[in-house]
Amino acid sequence: MDLSYGPEYEAFRDELRAFIAENRHRAPAAPGAAQRAGADAVAWQQLLLEHGYTARTIPREYGGFGAEPDILTSRIIAEEFAAAGVPGGLSNQGISMLVPTLLELGTEEQKRRWIAPTLRGEIVWCQGYSEPGAGSDLAALRTSAREENGEFVINGQKIWTSTAHQADMIFCLVRTEADAPKHAGISYLIFSMKTPGIEVRPLRTMTGHAEFNETFFTDVRVPVDQIVGQRGQGWMVANATLGYERGMLGDPAALENRLAALVQLMHDERIDGVRAIDNAALCDRLVALQAEVAAMKFNGLRLLSNSLKGEPGGLAKLIVKLQSCELAHQISALAIDAMGELGLLYGGSRRERAGGSWQWNYMFQLGLIIGGGTAQIQKNIIAERGLGMPREPKLEHARAPKAGAA
Amino acid sequence: MDFGLSPEQRMLRDAVDRLLREHCPLDHVREVAEGGHAVSAAVVAALSELGLSGIMVPEEHGGLGLGLLDALVVAEALGAAVAPVPFVARCVLAPLALRLAGTPAQQARWLPRIADGSARFGVGLTEVVNRRDGGGVTAADGTLSGSALFVLDSADADAFVIADQGGQLHLVAGEADGLERLPLSTIDLTRSVGELRLDGVAAEPLGEDDGGTANRLVAAGRVLLAADSVGAGDVMIARAVDYAGEREQFGRVIGSFQAVKHMCAEMAARLEPCRSLVWYAAHAFDAVPDEALLMACHAKSHTGEVGRFVARTATEVHGGMGFTDLLGLHYWFKRIGFDRQLLGGPEIVRAEAAALQGWGKRAA
């Protein structure tokens, strides 16, 4: 057990701390992940890009900093921004999911054209994966793309396209090979959201906000070279991306921040004049969550060490999405319970705490338990890939999905 | 940066596993447990060959001079094998008490004998955590009186470390006048605990402090009990997965039903982070003193909760067979149950963790 980073890394950490101290007044308020970055956030992103505190390992020719991949450096950057309570580099679906996918599987031309403006926050992306009939069984998707005069003509419907209403671009899974087996008929396309034939309808959720959209495609024409990977390889391309999404949804530092906010809340809120944190039952729940957050933190350190040694993460990695999303939800649940009646206040009410964000989180985090691979799908993955348990036998009459508008 | 076990610690684990596979199969555990011994002399002898009785004894006193994280590796292996071996109190807490609080003379007298296995200690700490009605030890004029309950590794002990109500630790000889030793028989027949009734028994204070050492001993014991549950839980999950892969109902192995798969996935998902938590808690004990007590609380309480979930769920995956004596699965179930209650159940321990952080105070 050696938890030191060594002098070279500590020097880097000192440098970064000095940078944050000097520049933190320029940092924007923490942006919601689904928001288009404002001018201050774009300027902040630019500053971080210049110093290599975001997109650090992305090659310079694509707008990154061009440093050698180094897990500990990335870790220090994440730690220091979190510790300072200052937002780090932009995190959105374009940066977290599309950029790594293009780096791995895109053409040179695609990399040069899309990565840099995405990193700068100038291009906002949305993800076109799920459909009304293709959720957990994503490969059953039916949005079709037939080739015609050097273009794909797309028809169908996507759902859960979170930033579609403000996105410039979409990365989208479509069925190009109507007669191929389910997984082999899919392609991964990128195209502008301003293309004629796209209609975005906000999808209001239980939170009362429209964090997601439904997106409809009617004869949307996209040049054939806007495919990532080959025709019929979209499933493989998408799986590369889903891995990044699960990484995004299981960040232990985010859990530590939520827990710290909960501890602060329970210090501040009083019940009959007694701090919530001194209420035995509430405090018991808090300490139980604190232990679980610690366990996930150390699980994360273990995974970090595994990757440093080039060892696979195994079970410790497969469980992260399931456990982290559940834990985040429980943290919000306790916050609401600790607030009692005040925990109900929402929608800008008088006496509302923290802008109603605990209630919003409580509901939205339930969405995260479902999204990005439901808890049940995660359990299948843990059982099958982690524990080597047998797959459910396939039903003989299960049909290959037919391409076509829903 | 390397979070995890060192190559040496992995080798230690392999060596202990190998030895237990040879000397401590379930048939042997059953024989010892049903014979009412709780201690396998054969397994103890085999472990001594590896020098494990001196694992926590400094090298200058003839031991291996290792830390709690090393001891944890052994505890996890013993839990996995449900080994009837007095380890936690005898090989770790007693030498630790002497190291932390003993005078040079006490250390010179006892540590070499602990290392070579000729002094076998039991340790009683329920005075500092979880004291129940009927228990209570008071010290006066170099003697102890009262009852120490749940003294760990007591059956064949020839000396004891006992905490009094003030948290002061004492050395008591196993054959001292006025000492009555009564066995307590628990669900877990692989562990030995006893009650000591003391009537003005001669006792030698172990150093002098305000209970700080006793608290540290409790922390070390908690981490090891948690590790024991991680080891035992691992085996319960592996056995459940194996059983679900063989047992057929409705024309399929039951492990292909999602209802059963999800039970196994939930067990793994909850237990896996406990492994990292107990590692860190042991590391904190060895190297990050400010965090040691809190992390020991977290490791104990959280692993206690997860352990109970794994123990019952793995049993359920086995269906009716899990409930029988035949499979012997209940040895792990009971072992995990023991780990959960001793040195404080989850609620007691969480209240302590809260107090360490200034939370949970009663209104003035």
Side-chain angles (χ1 to χ4, degrees):
Chain A
M1 190 73 76
D2 172 14
L3 300 184
S4 66
Y5 286 76
E8 204 177 308
Y9 288 104
E10 291 309 330
F12 174 76
R13 188 191 295 277
D14 290 343
E15 218 173 275
L16 173 55
R17 278 186 186 168
F19 169 85
I20 293 175
E22 195 179 319
N23 293 286
R24 61 181 307 154
H25 64 281
R26 300 158 74 174
Q35 301 299 308
R36 175 179 271 281
D40 54 347
V42 169
W44 180 243
Q45 175 76 358
Q46 186 61 40
L47 186 66
L48 299 187
L49 281 169
E50 279 162 23
H51 286 81
Y53 296 142
T54 191
R56 184 176 177 82
T57 61
I58 292 171
R60 280 188 178 271
E61 60 266 38
Y62 309 137
F65 189 71
E68 283 298 305
D70 185 306
I71 297 164
L72 290 186
T73 309
S74 323
R75 174 90 191 179
I76 290 170
I77 293 172
E79 281 175 359
E80 290 304 318
F81 280 102
V86 170
L90 284 180
S91 167
N92 56 39
Q93 289 183 326
I95 290 172
S96 304
M97 299 173 69
L98 176 80
V99 168
T101 304
L102 284 183
L103 282 172
E104 209 171 306
L105 300 161
T107 64
E108 186 58 30
E109 200 274 331
Q110 287 168 339
K111 292 180 200 176
R112 288 189 183 276
R113 181 161 174 202
W114 301 115
I115 294 177
T118 302
L119 294 178
R120 290 196 298 266
E122 293 163 10
I123 297 183
V124 173
W125 293 79
C126 62
Q127 177 205 63
Y129 281 14
S130 299
E131 297 180 7
S136 292
D137 186 10
L138 181 60
L141 61 92
R142 295 173 56 177
T143 294
S144 69
R146 64 170 197 279
E147 195 175 333
E148 199 178 281
N149 304 327
E151 290 176 320
F152 286 116
V153 183
I154 302 168
N155 283 283
Q157 178 190 354
K158 294 291 175 182
I159 193 171
W160 308 120
T161 36
S162 35
T163 40
H165 57 295
Q166 47 187 343
D168 307 294
M169 296 286 296
I170 183 168
F171 51 99
C172 190
L173 292 179
V174 294
R175 186 161 297 282
T176 48
E177 324 302 308
D179 300 321
K182 186 160 129 176
H183 293 82
I186 298 170
S187 296
Y188 185 108
L189 303 184
I190 50 181
F191 50 93
S192 166
M193 286 297 283
K194 298 192 179 63
T195 318
I198 299 179
E199 187 196 347
V200 175
R201 294 184 203 156
L203 179 62
R204 210 149 84 117
T205 69
M206 66 190 292
T207 68
H209 302 284
E211 294 94 345
F212 299 96
N213 300 280
E214 294 177 285
T215 304
F216 297 82
F217 306 107
T218 311
D219 292 330
V220 174
R221 308 185 82 88
V222 172
V224 287
D225 62 353
Q226 288 183 209
I227 188 169
V228 180
Q230 303 297 311
R231 275 181 69 144
Q233 283 187 349
W235 184 250
M236 181 269 290
V237 179
N239 268 306
T241 322
L242 283 174
Y244 295 115
E245 183 177 33
R246 282 178 194 145
M248 203 164 105
L249 293 177
D251 176 12
L255 283 177
E256 287 183 74
N257 288 340
R258 297 307 299 164
L259 184 81
L262 172 60
V263 168
Q264 189 60 52
L265 176 87
M266 289 178 63
H267 270 109
D268 295 343
E269 292 296 330
R270 288 170 180 270
I271 306 162
D272 294 331
V274 178
R275 300 185 307 174
I277 211 162
D278 293 332
N279 175 291
L282 293 171
C283 182
D284 185 68
R285 283 172 61 187
L286 176 65
V287 175
L289 291 176
Q290 188 184 35
E292 283 204 64
V293 170
M296 288 311 293
K297 172 184 170 177
F298 301 129
N299 188 69
L301 284 178
R302 179 178 166 206
L303 288 173
L304 173 69
S305 298
N306 282 345
S307 22
L308 284 171
K309 287 184 277 194
E311 292 172 2
L315 262 180
K317 184 168 186 187
L318 294 174
I319 61 154
V320 168
K321 198 263 170 182
L322 178 69
Q323 292 303 98
S324 303
C325 289
E326 176 63 32
L327 199 44
H329 185 62
Q330 287 181 21
I331 289 171
S332 297
L334 175 55
I336 289 169
D337 292 349
M339 286 188 280
E341 294 92 334
L342 295 169
L344 294 170
L345 298 175
Y346 195 58
S349 168
R350 300 179 59 228
R351 300 193 181 275
E352 190 182 73
R353 300 297 199 260
S357 62
W358 288 108
Q359 266 295 358
W360 183 83
N361 270 298
Y362 175 67
M363 291 186 269
F364 193 73
Q365 281 155 355
L366 181 54
L368 292 182
I369 288 172
I370 298 166
T374 64
Q376 287 64 39
I377 292 291
Q378 298 302 322
K379 288 176 195 173
N380 283 351
I381 292 171
I382 294 165
E384 289 165 14
R385 295 188 208 156
L387 299 172
M389 297 186 78
R391 292 181 69 97
E392 189 111 0
K394 292 243 186 295
L395 291 177
E396 279 170 26
H397 62 267
R399 284 164 300 166
K402 285 279 171 279
Chain B
M1 172 72 198
D2 187 9
F3 184 94
L5 302 180
S6 66
E8 294 76 14
Q9 285 158 342
R10 291 184 197 205
M11 280 167 59
L12 175 62
R13 173 73 201 250
D14 288 345
V16 176
D17 277 342
R18 222 171 18 247
L19 184 149
L20 291 170
R21 263 198 307 278
E22 187 186 338
H23 296 275
C24 194
L26 180 58
D27 288 345
H28 179 68
V29 173
R30 193 187 284 281
E31 195 183 306
V32 172
E34 288 179 356
H37 305 305
V39 177
S40 162
V43 180
V44 169
L47 289 168
S48 300
E49 295 284 306
L50 291 178
L52 293 183
S53 46
I55 189 166
M56 297 296 281
V57 173
E59 284 171 288
E60 65 264 33
H61 293 295
L64 300 179
L66 297 176
L68 192 67
L69 186 55
D70 306 286
L72 174 143
V73 169
V74 178
E76 213 180 297
L78 295 175
V82 287
V85 171
F87 179 73
V88 172
R90 185 158 305 166
C91 302
V92 180
L93 300 188
L96 201 54
L98 284 153
R99 265 168 59 177
L100 292 172
T103 62
Q106 287 169 329
Q107 292 177 351
R109 177 167 174 217
W110 291 108
L111 287 172
R113 296 179 57 198
I114 289 174
D116 70 18
S118 62
R120 295 173 298 183
F121 271 88
V123 176
L125 292 169
T126 44
E127 287 309 304
V128 279
V129 52
N130 235 359
R131 182 158 59 83
R132 300 288 161 160
D133 289 350
V137 175
T138 51
D141 305 327
T143 66
L144 292 180
S145 294
S147 289
L149 302 184
F150 298 100
V151 177
L152 184 58
D153 296 342
S154 60
D156 56 347
D158 35 43
F160 296 95
V161 172
I162 301 294
D164 69 25
Q165 277 170 222
Q168 169 70 46
L169 298 170
H170 305 265
L171 292 170
V172 174
E175 302 300 322
D177 286 343
L179 176 66
E180 192 182 356
R181 301 169 55 164
L182 305 164
L184 294 169
S185 92
T186 72
I187 51 159
D188 181 4
L189 300 176
T190 66
R191 253 73 168 268
S192 128
V193 284
E195 174 176 349
L196 300 188
R197 305 188 72 165
L198 306 121
D199 182 10
V201 174
E204 187 184 327
L206 193 54
E208 251 181 61
D209 69 39
D210 53 0
T213 305
N215 287 338
R216 293 205 69 199
L217 286 195
V218 168
R222 285 172 172 167
V223 174
L224 294 184
L225 291 170
D228 190 273
S229 276
V230 170
D234 268 344
V235 173
M236 289 198 88
I237 295 172
R239 288 188 60 158
V241 168
D242 285 350
Y243 185 82
E246 288 163 9
R247 167 80 172 168
E248 288 188 23
Q249 289 285 273
F250 304 103
R252 291 157 58 176
V253 293
I254 61 170
S256 67
F257 290 105
Q258 288 196 342
V260 176
K261 268 186 351 199
H262 287 190
M263 290 164 90
C264 295
E266 282 165 20
M267 288 192 279
R270 294 191 63 189
L271 187 66
E272 200 56 33
C274 291
R275 190 182 318 280
S276 302
L277 179 61
V278 298
W279 285 351
Y280 186 78
H283 170 70
F285 188 90
D286 290 334
V288 195
D290 288 352
E291 295 182 26
L293 298 185
L294 180 61
M295 285 300 160
C297 287
H298 283 338
K300 179 67 163 63
S301 59
H302 184 51
T303 307
E305 302 287 23
V306 173
R308 171 174 278 178
F309 173 76
V310 169
R312 71 150 288 179
T313 307
T315 304
E316 280 187 85
V317 169
H318 283 80
M321 287 305 290
F323 186 61
T324 65
D325 176 50
L326 194 66
L327 289 190
L329 195 68
H330 63 91
Y331 283 103
W332 283 268
F333 182 98
K334 292 166 182 171
R335 183 104 175 180
I336 289 171
F338 184 96
D339 292 336
R340 178 181 162 108
Q341 306 305 344
L342 207 76
L343 299 183
E347 292 79 8
I348 300 281
V349 175
R350 282 195 293 266
E352 254 185 66
L356 285 168
Q357 300 174 88
W359 306 342
K361 284 181 281 197
R362 292 217 172 77

